[in-house]
Amino acid sequence: MAKITVDSGYMWLGLYFVLNLSLTLYNKIILNNFKFPYSLTAIHTLCGSVGCYILYLSGIFVPAKLGDRENIIMVMFSVLYTINIAISNVSLHLVSVPFHQMIRAMTPVFTVVLSIIFLQKHYPRKIYLSLLPVVLGVGFATSAEYEFTYIGFILTVLGAVLASVKTIVTNRVQVGRLKLNPLDLLFRMSPLAFIQCIIYAHVTGELESVKEFSAEHMTYNLASSLLLNGLIAFGLNIVSFTANKKTSALTMTVAGNVKQVLSIILSILIFDYAINSTNAFGILLTLLGGAWYGSVELSIKRNAAQLLPTVNNNTTEDKYDRKSSDIQSHLSEKRDVVV
């Protein structure tokens, strides 16, 4: 029987669910009074920057020494992070929320396709099968009258693809050739993302609106709420990067889908959000699919661990879970394409 240790991937995945759900619901409350999503993201990244710097001064982690090529990768990663947020927010203005959620539900599929194309990764058939109820379940859970424009459709799909790329790159940066500590990655990414968010808020005119709002409506309670929101986001980033490193990119995308449905359940309980029988069926289907996927992955890893002393690296399990040397070699050749 597999033992789940204090530092196991599943423990970090559990923390990811708790913090992600907390931040999602907290963001909904904050944005009712502070309607500036890019400025709110800037607050998140500022808290990440300050928090990581404090941890660095405390000796909690030591930043790795990177060359020019690796530093360029960090800059590109931060740009990817910021663009992903920007496109997601812009697309929400052009399509209905249910349609947006349905397209984002395809993120695990994009993750599989991109991993196969760029990382030469192979997945057992059970993994593919377990993804079907997750994707279909979110579709049923968010079913409504889908409204969208063609440009909105393109941006929503692009946002889902970028979310997949970001998750894959996050995983490879931490377990590939760079092997960055999650805190080190956040330490490098947060200041760059903060600057980019401020620039985007300025270009869109949101920054000027924030100044006017703050002069008239900013209170101590709201400022404290924004700070607490940023601290939760900082904790979530640490947990998210660590869970990504200790599990896999695909696991994180599936976890994101299940989290989305759990958010709907909590919305029903907290905000009296109405659902029909189709929505309820979708919620149940997604949760069952997420549990199935987790069971399949755990079984594969357990079998791989048992076979490790007696089989070579050409087994199906090894291709799925321990192709580190091949992937690192291939990634060094494809790094520019993936990032």
Side-chain angles (χ1 to χ4, degrees), residues 49-65:
S49 302
V50 175
C52 284
Y53 189 68
I54 293 174
L55 294 178
Y56 162 66
L57 293 179
S58 303
I60 302 299
F61 72 98
V62 178
K65 294 182 179 180

Side-chain angles (χ1 to χ4, degrees), residues 49-188:
S49 302
V50 175
C52 284
Y53 189 68
I54 293 174
L55 294 178
Y56 162 66
L57 293 179
S58 303
I60 302 299
F61 72 98
V62 178
K65 294 182 179 180
L66 303 181
D68 293 339
R69 178 182 175 84
E70 287 76 16
N71 285 324
I72 291 174
I73 291 175
M74 290 297 100
V75 173
M76 296 178 69
F77 178 78
S78 68
V79 172
L80 174 64
Y81 173 83
T82 306
I83 290 178
N84 179 50
I85 295 174
I87 289 181
S88 178
N89 285 325
V90 171
S91 64
L92 270 174
H93 291 290
L94 301 174
V95 301
S96 65
V97 173
F99 181 81
H100 186 270
Q101 291 176 316
M102 180 58 190
I103 296 298
R104 298 291 285 200
M106 300 300 294
T107 301
V109 177
F110 294 136
T111 300
V112 168
V113 173
L114 292 172
S115 296
I116 292 174
I117 294 175
F118 294 112
L119 300 180
Q120 300 295 302
K121 200 163 186 177
H122 301 281
Y123 296 93
R125 184 178 300 175
K126 289 183 179 179
I127 289 292
Y128 299 117
L129 292 176
S130 67
L131 290 176
L132 291 178
V134 174
V135 175
L136 292 176
V138 174
F140 284 116
T142 59
S143 64
E145 185 178 350
Y146 292 149
E147 299 176 356
F148 62 92
T149 63
Y150 289 111
I151 186 64
F153 170 78
I154 293 173
L155 288 176
T156 306
V157 172
L158 179 59
V161 173
L162 287 176
S164 299
V165 174
K166 181 177 73 70
T167 305
I168 292 171
V169 174
T170 299
N171 183 264
R172 300 320 308 161
V173 165
Q174 294 183 104
V175 304
R177 184 168 58 87
L178 294 181
K179 291 184 171 62
L180 287 183
N181 180 286
L183 287 173
D184 192 358
L185 177 59
L186 189 60
F187 180 62
R188 298 172 190 276

